[in-house]
Every structure is written in structure tokens, then in C-alpha cells.
Amino acid sequence: MRTYVSERSRRFTESVIREMTRLCAQHGGVNLAQGFPDFPAPEFIKAEAVRALEGDVNQYAITWGAKRLRDSLVAKQRRFTGLAFDPETEVTICCGSTECMAATLLALVNPGEDVIVFEPFYENYGPDAILCGATPRFVRLREPDWSYDPAELERAFSNRTKAIIINTPNNPTGKVFTRGELEHIAALCRKWDVIAVTDEIYEHMTYDGAQHVSLATLEGMRERTVTISGLSKTYSVTGWRVGWCLAPVALSAAIRKVHDFLTVGAPAPLQEAAAVALESPPDYYERLATSYREKRDYLVPALERAGFRTFPPRGAYYVMTDISGFGATDDVSFARTLVAAVGVAAVPGSSFYHEPSAGRTRLRFHFARRRETLEAAVERLGRIKAGALSA
Ligand SMILES: Cc1ncc(COP(=O)(O)O)c(C=O)c1O
């Protein structure tokens, strides 16, 4: 019998996060699995979106992005990194950084070429690599600080390597790549003539003095880096689907072509609101980081008290934990039991590794939640010690 679905689409599975979200709803639990805020977006951003809709910004924007947004983005990028980009030729606005990553890999990587990915990795990178026919080469980030072995990274580079994906601050580990690590990565990219694709969606969430360094600012990297970020996390609007790629002209031209045929454009009225969001003063970003640090400092000790070993994050809004203390050897069944018996949903660690066995004793929680939601989660986690998990 004929198989209707493509081989490509059969090479990856649906996200486990969705199953956890479904189970969570079924058990009336607190969802610390899928990473999006449960608090409102800033009023001024919503007001700009309303203004744009009422002003009849309802038709397609220019495929690579509304002019006002591109101008606002390059101004922000210059303020934060000192780098200058041409809004006419070096910016592509997409439907979220998710589309940015897919469009970038489809535009730049040929079937059979290698793409280096640090693992544990954000779920999408695996399917993204498969969709463009690339061979992912994984390099392990190791607990407790999620550093990598320089020799292992060096061994991953070869003449077949076309690109390396770097997500900093990192999901799921909360690692913020240090300048030294990025210098090492940059040197390897220059040596092997490799493109760096950076996912900097958590760029404004760093804690304890950790500094976000944009790889494109390092020597010789501006011309070989695609810098990806978006509105979702910084402005708490994950449903708006606005993201961007900043890249040299030739790379941007290819990304723009793929983007045009994938989605034509990102939502036009929300691009207008995004242009204003990106003009936010420095204290907006400081308050954002402070509020996430407070959430981290509330959840992480509570997880420790409940029996999880934690690897405290220095960026982003996730914490990876070790469940070996519970005698657990299967993260998926542990996550199912946790949501059913205790009412807290988290993501099984194996979903962030290409070999699931590497994540069998890991569980990821996120803390993009209102204080009341985190309090409800902490109260439930307190039931573990009372024997809820063995019930
Ligand atoms: C590392 C990383 N990149 C990208 C995304 C998705 O971003 P967007 O909403 O801009 O598509 C997420 C969302 O969780 C993420 O964690």
C-alpha cells in the first residue's frame, strides 16, 4: 500500500510538551511544561496593536518586514550590540523565530551537509535539520554548569560542516555561553568557514551578572552569522508570531526568498506594534530580568526542598533538574506520574536529547508564571514528600 506521508515527516515525532499540556488539563494541574507566560503582555504594546488594527493595517506587509519595524530593530540592535545592519537588505521579519530558524536552514544548508547542535537542545532544531536534509552533529553540554568539552566540539567540525546553531541564553539548561566559549566557537567557524546561526530569543533574561554576548559582535563573525530573535519572550507575546533574522546581504537575500514562499509575511498590525515595543527604554529590560530572577529564586529552592536536584539557570526561564533522588529511571513515566498524582506538569528531559537515554533522569520546569501560579505549583510539589508520588 502506498504511504502518503513523506519520509521526511516520519523522521520526527510530535512534541512531548503537547502531551504534557493535555495531561495537565485533564488533571487540573499547574503547567510548568510549555514555556510561555500566563501573565498579561505590557499595556503599551497591546495599545499599539489596537491602534494599528483601527488604523486599518490589515493587508500584507512587505514580505521581509514592515519598514517601521526594520528601522526600529536595527536601531535597537545598534544600541545593545553596537552592530550596524542595513534595514533594506539585512533584515528579515518572519512568523516568530521558529520560522526564522527553519527559513535560515532551508536557505543556507544543502542536503548532506552537517549542522552542529549543542545538546540538550531546543526541540525544534532536530526537525529543522531533518527538513532541510542536513545531518545534525551533536555536542554535549555537561552538568552542573553545562559547559562543553572543547576537544569534542573541535572533533565535530569538518569539511562537511555548513552551520552551527548556538542558543544563548539556552533552553532547556539556562546556560549563558561565556565570551570565552563564544570566542572558541568563533575561531572554529572562521577556521572551517562555517556559518553560525544564533537563537537569542532569551537575550534579555540573564541573572547573577551573567552577560549575554551576541556572537556576531566577535571578530570576523558579523559576515558569517545569522542572528535570530523575536518578540515572543522579551515582550510576553508568544502568540503574536513576530521574529527576525539579521544577516549579511547575501544570506539575507536567500532567507527572504524562502520566507516569502513559506509564509509571505508576519502579521502586519503586530509588526507595527513590534516597532514601538523595540523602542522600550533600558529599564523595561531591567525590570523584565529582575522579575524572572525573582521567579527563579522562588521556584528553584522549592524544587530542591521537594527532592529534585537542580542546575540553577543563569538565563532564560527554565530549570533542568535531576530526578535520580526519587529513584526514577524513566523521565517520561515520572513526568506522567507527577502530573497525575501531584498536579504539576514538566517536560521529560529525554525530549531534549537525540538519544533519549541521555535525558532519562532529567526533567525541565519553566517559571514564566504569575507568583500565584508558582505558589500553587510549590504547594503541590510539597505533597511529594508526603508520599504523593508513590501513591
Ligand atoms: C530557544 C527557543 N527558540 C525559539 C523559540 C520560539 O520562539 P518564537 O515564538 O519566536 O517562534 C522558543 C520557544 O520556546 C525557544 O525556547
Side-chain angles (χ1 to χ4, degrees):
M1 200 172 116
R2 185 165 199 180
T3 307
Y4 290 133
V5 297
S6 70
E7 260 171 51
R8 213 187 279 125
S9 73
R10 276 183 285 148
R11 283 181 52 209
F12 50 90
T13 53
E14 220 200 317
S15 159
V16 198
I17 297 181
R18 260 189 282 281
E19 184 200 340
M20 285 305 146
T21 297
R22 204 175 55 243
L23 282 177
C24 189
Q26 195 179 316
H27 294 284
V30 180
N31 194 347
L32 301 187
Q34 197 174 2
F36 61 86
D38 70 345
F39 42 85
E43 286 304 324
F44 77 97
I45 298 177
K46 291 189 288 189
E48 287 301 328
V50 170
R51 211 189 321 277
L53 282 168
E54 288 180 342
D56 251 329
V57 185
N58 291 315
Q59 311 310 328
Y60 301 124
I62 296 171
T63 176
W64 50 79
K67 164 106 179 101
R68 189 167 163 219
L69 175 53
R70 284 180 282 120
D71 288 347
S72 179
L73 173 61
V74 299
K76 173 175 182 276
Q77 205 67 12
R78 192 195 276 269
R79 281 199 304 282
F80 279 90
T81 66
L83 289 180
F85 287 90
D86 180 352
E88 300 311 322
T89 55
E90 296 186 309
V91 175
T92 312
I93 308 295
C94 294
C95 294
S97 56
T98 299
E99 190 211 336
C100 292
M101 185 59 74
T104 298
L105 296 183
L106 285 167
L108 307 182
V109 180
N110 293 306
E113 290 178 327
D114 287 0
V115 173
I116 299 175
V117 178
F118 289 100
E119 74 171 350
F121 54 87
Y122 170 55
E123 287 198 300
N124 286 27
Y125 304 152
D128 281 346
I130 290 168
L131 287 174
C132 66
T135 309
R137 297 271 166 224
F138 297 97
V139 173
R140 195 62 71 79
L141 299 173
R142 290 173 201 280
E143 304 90 333
D145 63 352
W146 305 104
S147 53
Y148 65 83
D149 172 0
E152 187 186 341
L153 181 64
E154 283 156 26
R155 281 195 304 275
F157 277 81
S158 75
N159 289 330
R160 289 186 309 278
T161 312
K162 184 61 167 290
I164 177 168
I165 298 176
I166 299 116
N167 170 217
T168 184
N170 184 262
N171 172 11
T173 64
K175 172 186 175 66
V176 180
F177 280 72
T178 64
R179 184 174 286 277
E181 287 172 326
L182 293 169
E183 296 278 8
H184 179 233
I185 294 167
L188 289 166
C189 288
R190 290 191 301 265
K191 174 176 172 192
W192 292 97
D193 196 11
V194 160
I195 296 160
V197 184
T198 65
D199 179 341
E200 304 184 20
I201 191 95
Y202 300 102
E203 61 193 314
H204 293 292
M205 292 171 201
T206 56
Y207 320 116
D208 310 333
Q211 294 281 335
H212 169 63
V213 177
S214 206
L215 188 65
T217 60
L218 302 187
E219 194 200 327
M221 293 309 287
R222 164 75 171 75
E223 61 261 37
R224 60 173 69 253
T225 302
V226 181
T227 304
I228 293 175
S229 191
L231 275 198
S232 286
K233 314 286 173 167
T234 306
Y235 306 97
S236 309
V237 287
T238 57
W240 282 23
R241 315 310 304 130
V242 178
W244 48 80
C245 309
L246 295 157
V249 179
L251 305 189
S252 286
I255 294 166
R256 284 177 170 195
K257 268 196 294 184
V258 175
H259 157 70
D260 190 7
F261 291 106
L262 281 177
T263 62
V264 179
L270 303 182
Q271 292 194 50
E272 295 300 318
V276 176
L278 294 179
E279 289 165 1
S280 298
D283 70 307
Y284 173 83
Y285 304 98
E286 284 153 24
R287 275 186 279 114
L288 182 84
T290 302
S291 92
Y292 276 112
R293 183 183 44 72
E294 286 167 0
K295 292 176 194 303
R296 178 198 68 166
D297 291 349
Y298 178 67
L299 182 65
V300 171
L303 287 166
E304 288 274 348
R305 284 196 302 277
F308 295 86
R309 180 180 170 213
T310 63
F311 306 102
R314 302 192 74 207
Y317 52 52
Y318 306 94
V319 54
M320 235 354 188
T321 67
D322 181 347
I323 54 176
S324 325
F326 298 102
T329 51
D330 181 349
D331 60 324
V332 177
S333 60
F334 185 90
R336 287 190 186 127
T337 309
L338 186 69
V339 70
V342 177
V344 175
V347 183
S350 55
S351 43
F352 304 106
Y353 291 87
H354 79 288
E355 279 165 5
S357 59
R360 282 288 173 236
T361 56
R362 299 283 177 267
L363 207 64
R364 187 202 76 178
F365 295 82
H366 85 87
F367 47 86
R369 287 287 177 257
R370 282 181 287 209
R371 176 71 182 206
E372 309 85 270
T373 315
L374 291 176
E375 281 171 4
V378 168
E379 187 272 315
R380 283 155 188 249
L381 289 168
R383 298 177 197 167
I384 297 178
K385 279 273 152 82
L389 271 190
S390 50

